[in-house]
Amino acid sequence: MKTWVLACTMCFAAQETSMVDGTKLGVLVLLAILFAVQGGFVGFFLYLRKRAKRMADVELDSEWSKLRRSPRTS
């Protein structure tokens, strides 16, 4: 004996109704929110990387200028 599992009539072979259109739009909105949040994280980490590089350059420049001013003792 075979048992067939079918979706309800609302989902299985459903006509293009406003309910289906609303569901598709809801999925697209949720995907847009997801990608916006992920883009925010990526942007934040790129900002942190750029800031760290800039701070390292400033620190290196200040250290170099200190070394140039100090008298050599050999």
Side-chain angles (χ1 to χ4, degrees):
M1 184 167 143
K2 290 184 179 181
T3 306
W4 293 95
V5 178
L6 299 175
C8 66
T9 56
M10 291 298 288
C11 302
F12 186 72
Q15 301 295 325
E16 288 293 322
T17 63
S18 62
M19 187 176 207
V20 173
D21 293 338
T23 303
K24 289 178 183 177
L25 184 61
V27 169
L28 290 176
V29 168
L30 288 174
L31 283 172
I33 292 171
L34 173 75
F35 288 134
V37 170
Q38 285 182 344
F41 276 116
V42 168
F44 177 66
F45 286 115
L46 289 175
Y47 164 75
L48 286 179
R49 188 176 89 178
K50 181 178 171 183
R51 184 171 178 242
K53 184 180 181 327
R54 188 174 55 227
M55 289 298 176
D57 289 344
V58 166
E59 185 178 322
L60 183 64
D61 287 343
S62 67
E63 185 177 340
W64 178 248
S65 66
K66 285 180 188 176
L67 287 174
R68 288 176 56 193
R69 277 186 264 157
S70 66
R72 282 191 153 167
T73 55
S74 298

